[in-house]
Amino acid sequence: MVRHILGMVLAAGSLSLSAFYPVAAVAESLQPTVANEAMATIVGRVTNEKGETLPGVNILVKDSGVGTSTDINGNFTIQTAPGEELVFSYIGYYPVEKVATKGTMDIILKEDTQTLGEVIVTTQKKSQSNIEVPAAVSAVSGNSLSKLNLHQFDEVAQFIPGVQIQLQSPNNPGYVIRGVTSDDGASYSQPRVSVFQDGVSISRSRASAVELFDLERVEVVKGPQGTLFGRGAEIGGIHVIRNKPVDKLSGELSLGYGTYNQKLANGFINTPLVKGKLANRFAFSYDQRDGFIRNDAGGRLNGKNAIALRNSTKLWANDQTSFDLILDYQHDNYPGTSFKTNKPEYGNPDPNRPANLEEGDDLGIKRHVGGATFLADHTLNDNWKMSSITGFRAFQSDETFDADGTYVPLLACQEKAKGTQFSQEFRFNYDSRKRFSGFVGASYFFEHSSQEVIAHTNMQNMYPVYIQGNLKGQFTELLNGFLPLLTSQLPEQLRPVVESTMNQLMGKWFPDTPLVDGNGKPAQTTATPDIYGDLKAALAMAGMDLDQLLGGLGTQGQTILATLKGVSNQSLPDDYSENGTNYGTNQAVEVFADGTFKLVKGLSLTVGLRGTYEHLYSAYSSTTVPGVFGSLIYHPTAGGQKVAASDDYFSWVGRIALNYMYKRNNFYVSVSRGRRPGVIYYNNDPDDLSRLAPEIIYSYEAGVKGALLNGRLNYDLCAYYYDWNHFQTTRFDQLSSKYVADDAGKAHSFGVEAGLSYAPCRYLNIFGNYAYIDGKFNEKDENGIEQEYAGNRFRLTPKHSFSVGLDVTVPTGKTSQIYFRPTYSYKSKVYFEDSNEPELTQDGYGLANFTAGYRFQPKNVYYEIGAFGKNVFDTEYIVDAGNTGRQINYPTFVGGSRSVIGLQFKIGF
């Protein structure tokens, strides 16, 4: 009877056993047909060809209701008679049939390249197909990363719909999921997008950009995901899962060379230390390239130099318990970033042409980032599993950059950032193998970081191009109040003369066009104009004394007189500096639970909730000694000491999703609540404290995804709508000429995403994705008041984006093959600021990439020689605009990566 039922179910769906994940659970509730007197305990382990253990593999006694699945370490135990046929099946692998034998069975599954669109993920803290998750999940396997030669986050983002990642430099990454950006480097800021490595948050901006090498996969889950990824996943999470040690000797070395003198090296060595008990894996990556932009003042800009090391040790204490210790370190020593002005008087304004930044070879980024991760997994029984994730991270960066983008010493900056963090999570997973599965847990998070910025300027250059304009505005306002008082004491016939004289003096003091030197370049100004002396002389010609006139106006007159004397005929220093340091300390305790109920066959309800207590501390200090014009950017604190503020927050986020599985197709709808923590920030001024309310988002999403044609066609389609309250942003304040934290009020976003992967034959895979995002600020806030950014689009968000690609792999013999993998990605116009200024934009553009080569494996060693190309048509574009230079009316622009073509050789065993 059991055999008959299972046969009908599988035949009706035309499914492989790997696609029918409830089989094992159903089988456990049925009586086995194997005779009791012949029963034996069969044990074994399932791995792939790389030796990596595979959890969740379905194992069935052929033509029987007896079944089980592998645990977190790939181990299995099943009761059956020796000699019975066992069927092993797993998504993305060819099924295998083996005869049950006594002793330990070692089962190796071979990857099915035609079903790679379906990837096993742990988004919901358990191993399952990405199709089965009732949310928008995109996963790129380590095999796909290697095939497409993807080593950076921005490269991976091209193949994930609705995701944009901006890498201005490793010190300034920007993560954009469905139109919402997380890129603030200040210590007080909180991420909207969580970035994780093996369950440990690395979301702090200055430490989140890491090299991608020797990976199992990269998962991206979109929409509010606080239940799954914690307080920083207001709009989604990016999870990097690295390869762990396996009980098999293996290794790989890849070497490459490309244009711009690019040198590449990466690889790993996996070593079993104690058979079946202890193994170690060491992996490394090195990527060095000259800068794309020549700096006429010395050196090159927009280059790369990164080395990353990782050592992982795994202990299998027994069949139920395993431990992983992962140590990682990355050192970046990049040349400077080409922040380039668009003002033609300083040379060619094209950001993709040579620059002339006066700091020369002193420009650059030095960064150290690393940490330790300790993972513990223990299977308590058939239903319960316990996991512990302990993480420590530390980073230190030092970046010197030319903020004004010219050869003139207007604004040279140095940023020093550092931080440490510790996190601990305990989680219990439960799976009844029938109607319910889920997890419950608690976590603790602590981080402390600081960001110091030192700004230098030559006031003799700064005055004519920036300060003079500000001073003109202040004096225009001052004289508008002073002239009526002055002219009221003059005879009628003298009033036009005085007004005309004042207009002439304003032109003399503040010329509309800055003076130029003999080469037509902006000239230096060694002293401020003698405003007081000129006024005094002009009034004396009319028989009036300026001091007496202002003295007769009381306090107001004395203030005007002091101001005039204070800014008149003052020597301007050739080296003036300011500094400011912001500090942030965050502590959070969280409890969470998430569960899936199987209501009826195929229909499931998922509910999750996370509660958070957090304590946020923010501080600011500055030892700036104000100059003639006061402080320009960083205002001093008393005695250079810290000023600080803190607050406590209690919050909750959650999700509810309903999904229906029909064969291998998942129809789902979900509603979720996300939150970004509040902001406490001194706007570079001890007397200007901003407190922004937590940002709240409600998400409504519906989608369908699945696999058809026996897994050869994978598709994903979803639509979503987001509604924000208290949208946090940073705006440029024209009056104070500085960026300030701001509550932009209400905003919304509507979008559609689609993905497709089709393998018409075993030699060809076609893939692509598309995203439409309409993310804007509402016309009015929650109080009905018109908003400052009403109708503006979100920054760094293209309305349309897509990518397409081919994977052509043709065997040339039993042990060899050739491959060609071209891709193309496109994004429409983006704004670099929420203010949507026309000059701070990038029009739509596309990038073409490829990998091609020959691979052969005569015995146990494989060889590969290939070519790669990135931006092969050398498309010119920019990745950022505005930046620090905007504070002195000198917005800067950063050019994107140029065409890089190269060769690679790989050997492995």
Side-chain angles (χ1 to χ4, degrees):
M1 182 65 180
V2 171
R3 187 180 310 170
H4 177 67
I5 293 173
L6 285 175
M8 288 193 300
V9 170
L10 293 176
S14 299
L15 301 175
S16 67
L17 292 172
S18 65
F20 196 73
Y21 74 95
V23 165
V26 172
E28 287 186 0
S29 68
L30 302 174
Q31 293 296 321
T33 61
V34 181
N36 289 333
E37 59 269 22
M39 297 287 281
T41 300
I42 306 299
V43 298
R45 175 179 289 185
V46 183
T47 63
N48 60 18
E49 293 175 292
K50 298 178 181 179
E52 299 165 341
T53 56
L54 299 176
V57 175
N58 289 317
I59 306 163
L60 282 178
V61 178
K62 191 173 183 179
D63 298 327
S64 166
V66 177
T68 187
S69 59
T70 56
D71 63 16
I72 55 176
N73 298 315
N75 298 316
F76 68 90
T77 301
I78 191 169
Q79 296 291 323
T80 191
E84 288 285 337
E85 288 283 335
L86 298 182
V87 181
F88 298 83
S89 57
Y90 195 57
I91 293 169
Y93 292 83
Y94 291 107
V96 169
E97 295 186 12
K98 292 287 184 180
V99 175
T101 59
K102 292 184 178 181
T104 301
M105 297 181 66
D106 290 320
I107 308 299
I108 299 175
L109 298 186
K110 184 178 180 181
E111 198 169 50
D112 182 356
T113 57
Q114 290 184 292
T115 61
L116 288 180
E118 192 169 355
V119 180
I120 296 297
V121 298
T122 53
T123 302
Q124 297 191 123
K125 313 305 179 185
K126 63 179 180 181
S127 295
Q128 60 185 151
S129 165
N130 61 322
I131 290 176
E132 297 165 356
V133 181
V137 178
S138 298
V140 183
S141 68
N143 187 41
S144 296
L145 293 171
S146 178
K147 282 185 173 183
L148 298 174
N149 195 34
L150 307 178
H151 300 289
Q152 297 183 164
F153 277 129
D154 58 337
E155 297 170 347
V156 177
Q158 297 176 22
F159 303 96
I160 301 176
V163 175
Q164 307 290 330
I165 297 180
Q166 173 204 58
L167 285 182
Q168 182 194 90
S169 73
N171 215 33
N172 294 279
Y175 302 93
V176 187
I177 293 183
R178 292 179 168 177
V180 179
T181 302
S182 183
D183 67 345
D184 197 333
S187 298
Y188 70 86
S189 68
Q190 302 295 324
R192 286 189 175 103
V193 176
S194 282
V195 184
F196 279 81
Q197 275 188 158
D198 293 314
V200 175
S201 174
I202 60 169
S203 304
R204 177 58 52 190
S205 172
R206 296 299 185 256
S208 63
V210 294
E211 294 295 292
L212 304 180
F213 64 102
D214 193 30
L215 299 184
E216 181 178 329
R217 66 186 179 277
V218 175
E219 298 178 13
V220 178
V221 56
K222 289 163 277 188
Q225 300 298 336
T227 304
L228 300 176
F229 286 96
R231 56 195 284 273
E234 182 214 23
I235 204 64
I238 300 171
H239 194 186
V240 177
I241 296 94
R242 299 170 289 186
N243 280 325
K244 309 301 187 298
V246 295
D247 195 27
K248 178 182 178 181
L249 180 63
S250 60
E252 182 178 279
L253 175 65
S254 176
L255 301 173
Y257 184 82
T259 50
Y260 293 96
N261 196 31
Q262 183 176 32
K263 295 180 281 289
L264 300 163
N266 61 75
F268 72 89
I269 180 72
N270 187 95
T271 310
L273 301 177
V274 179
K275 183 65 176 177
K277 287 292 184 181
L278 185 66
N280 193 79
R281 188 183 189 100
F282 175 77
F284 74 95
S285 172
Y286 173 71
D287 190 349
Q288 190 276 330
R289 168 180 47 75
D290 292 343
F292 297 122
I293 305 295
R294 185 183 76 245
N295 187 7
D296 291 338
R300 299 191 70 87
L301 305 166
N302 295 6
K304 182 175 182 178
N305 190 343
I307 182 169
L309 309 172
R310 180 168 71 244
N311 192 79
S312 307
T313 305
K314 190 178 190 76
L315 171 67
W316 294 277
N318 51 49
D319 289 343
Q320 291 77 40
T321 308
S322 67
F323 302 97
D324 290 273
L325 176 63
I326 307 167
L327 306 175
D328 61 84
Y329 169 75
Q330 180 171 326
H331 174 58
D332 300 308
N333 187 12
Y334 281 48
T337 301
S338 179
F339 295 101
K340 193 171 180 185
T341 183
N342 64 344
K343 297 182 183 296
E345 59 265 35
Y346 295 99
N348 189 336
D350 188 338
N352 291 292
R353 294 294 176 267
N356 190 2
L357 309 184
E358 85 278 357
E359 295 290 317
D361 287 323
D362 291 335
L363 299 172
I365 303 165
K366 291 180 173 60
R367 188 182 69 138
H368 304 268
V369 59
T373 301
F374 182 68
L375 309 175
D377 292 288
H378 176 65
T379 301
L380 299 171
N381 53 43
D382 288 342
N383 303 113
W384 284 96
K385 297 177 182 179
M386 182 189 75
S387 298
S388 171
I389 304 174
T390 307
F392 173 80
R393 298 278 295 172
F395 73 92
Q396 182 174 334
S397 66
D398 188 342
E399 178 176 8
T400 300
F401 59 99
D402 189 320
D404 58 84
T406 75
Y407 62 84
V408 177
L410 295 179
L411 188 60
C413 295
Q414 180 181 17
E415 181 202 279
K416 298 179 180 180
K418 60 183 179 181
T420 56
Q421 75 172 55
F422 171 81
S423 60
Q424 174 64 57
E425 177 181 301
F426 293 105
R427 187 180 69 250
F428 290 88
N429 282 65
Y430 175 78
D431 190 345
S432 70
R433 300 184 181 275
K434 294 181 181 179
R435 299 290 297 273
F436 177 78
S437 64
F439 59 87
V440 63
S443 65
Y444 171 75
F445 179 82
F446 170 86
E447 70 168 345
H448 175 75
S449 59
S450 65
Q451 179 195 42
E452 178 188 11
V453 179
I454 305 170
H456 291 270
T457 184
N458 183 334
M459 279 292 188
Q460 297 176 7
N461 294 105
M462 178 69 82
Y463 178 83
V465 301
Y466 172 66
I467 297 176
Q468 178 176 273
N470 285 357
L471 202 60
K472 179 180 181 180
Q474 295 174 19
F475 264 86
T476 298
E477 183 177 348
L478 179 68
L479 292 177
N480 285 340
F482 168 62
L483 276 178
L485 297 175
L486 175 62
T487 55
S488 65
Q489 301 184 40
L490 293 175
E492 186 77 27
Q493 64 273 21
L494 290 180
R495 292 178 185 178
V497 176
V498 171
E499 290 177 357
S500 175
T501 301
M502 293 300 299
N503 289 331
Q504 293 176 20
L505 289 175
M506 287 290 290
K508 172 186 176 182
W509 300 330
F510 311 114
D512 292 332
T513 303
L515 300 177
V516 296
D517 59 21
N519 297 317
K521 305 297 183 182
Q524 289 185 328
T525 301
T526 58
T528 61
D530 188 7
I531 299 174
Y532 169 75
D534 290 343
L535 268 178
K536 190 174 180 66
L539 291 176
M541 294 176 62
M544 304 180 68
D545 185 272
L546 177 62
D547 292 14
Q548 292 181 1
L549 179 64
L550 291 175
L553 298 178
T555 303
Q556 181 182 9
Q558 293 298 324
T559 301
I560 294 175
L561 183 61
T563 301
L564 292 174
K565 290 182 176 180
V567 299
S568 296
N569 201 27
Q570 297 290 324
S571 296
L572 296 172
D574 58 7
D575 185 13
Y576 172 76
S577 66
E578 295 184 358
N579 66 83
T581 305
N582 59 74
Y583 310 83
T585 301
N586 304 311
Q587 296 186 75
V589 177
E590 300 183 283
V591 292
F592 51 88
D594 192 274
T596 298
F597 305 83
K598 296 176 182 177
L599 303 177
V600 296
K601 181 180 178 181
L603 184 64
S604 299
L605 176 69
T606 300
V607 179
L609 188 68
R610 180 179 292 253
T612 302
Y613 161 76
E614 56 195 347
H615 177 76
L616 305 184
Y617 167 91
S618 180
Y620 168 76
S621 68
S622 172
T623 58
T624 295
V625 178
V628 175
F629 310 105
S631 300
L632 301 180
I633 301 175
Y634 298 101
H635 298 263
T637 54
Q641 300 299 306
K642 290 182 185 178
V643 290
S646 63
D647 211 339
D648 297 307
Y649 300 87
F650 293 89
S651 64
W652 69 273
V653 296
R655 67 169 182 153
I656 181 169
L658 188 68
N659 73 292
Y660 178 71
M661 289 289 299
Y662 175 71
K663 297 182 179 181
R664 295 303 297 161
N665 302 280
N666 187 357
F667 302 82
Y668 68 92
V669 294
S670 68
V671 178
S672 55
R673 182 183 193 266
R675 173 186 178 274
R676 187 190 194 191
V679 171
I680 306 171
Y681 176 50
Y682 290 92
N683 293 294
N684 298 329
D685 187 340
D687 299 318
D688 186 7
L689 176 65
S690 292
R691 288 181 181 268
L692 303 185
E695 181 178 293
I696 303 297
I697 177 178
Y698 286 92
S699 167
Y700 310 91
E701 183 170 334
V704 58
K705 51 186 173 179
L708 301 171
L709 304 178
N710 293 321
R712 291 187 292 114
L713 175 63
N714 284 263
Y715 68 94
D716 189 343
L717 177 65
C718 68
Y720 60 88
Y721 180 81
Y722 293 161
D723 188 15
W724 276 275
N725 287 306
H726 302 296
F727 191 96
Q728 298 170 4
T729 187
T730 302
R731 65 176 175 84
F732 182 69
D733 184 75
Q734 297 286 351
L735 295 178
S736 60
S737 294
K738 65 181 179 181
Y739 286 94
V740 297
D742 188 33
D743 185 332
K746 292 182 67 67
H748 69 273
S749 179
F750 170 76
V752 176
E753 296 170 355
L756 186 71
S757 175
Y758 176 54
C761 64
R762 63 179 302 180
Y763 309 125
L764 173 65
N765 187 31
I766 306 168
F767 53 90
N769 66 70
Y770 168 78
Y772 167 82
I773 304 174
D774 185 26
K776 294 181 179 179
F777 293 96
N778 291 9
E779 296 295 331
K780 297 181 180 180
D781 64 17
E782 55 266 34
N783 298 316
I785 301 173
E786 186 171 330
Q787 301 189 134
E788 180 179 2
Y789 295 147
N792 285 8
R793 289 186 55 80
F794 294 160
R795 58 189 292 260
L796 299 179
T797 303
K799 194 170 188 177
H800 303 277
S801 62
F802 70 85
S803 67
V804 293
L806 299 176
D807 181 355
V808 183
T809 304
V810 181
T812 57
K814 291 184 178 180
T815 60
S816 61
Q817 60 186 26
I818 57 174
Y819 61 85
F820 177 56
R821 299 166 186 139
T823 64
Y824 179 81
S825 60
Y826 173 84
K827 62 178 70 176
S828 61
K829 180 178 181 177
V830 297
Y831 294 94
F832 291 105
E833 298 290 346
D834 287 331
S835 53
N836 286 189
E837 290 152 275
E839 70 169 344
L840 304 181
T841 61
Q842 167 62 54
D843 290 331
Y845 67 94
L847 300 176
N849 307 312
F850 79 90
T851 60
Y854 174 69
R855 179 187 175 96
F856 61 102
Q857 186 172 346
K859 291 185 178 180
N860 294 326
V861 179
Y862 58 86
Y863 305 87
E864 186 175 322
I865 183 168
F868 65 88
K870 299 184 178 182
N871 188 11
V872 294
F873 299 119
D874 203 22
T875 299
E876 296 182 357
Y877 61 100
I878 62 173
V879 296
D880 204 2
N883 304 302
T884 305
R886 193 172 177 223
Q887 299 186 61
I888 60 169
N889 297 330
Y890 271 63
T892 56
F893 302 77
V894 181
S897 296
R898 304 301 296 272
S899 177
V900 176
I901 309 293
L903 297 174
Q904 278 188 309
F905 172 76
K906 183 184 296 183
I907 182 172
F909 63 94

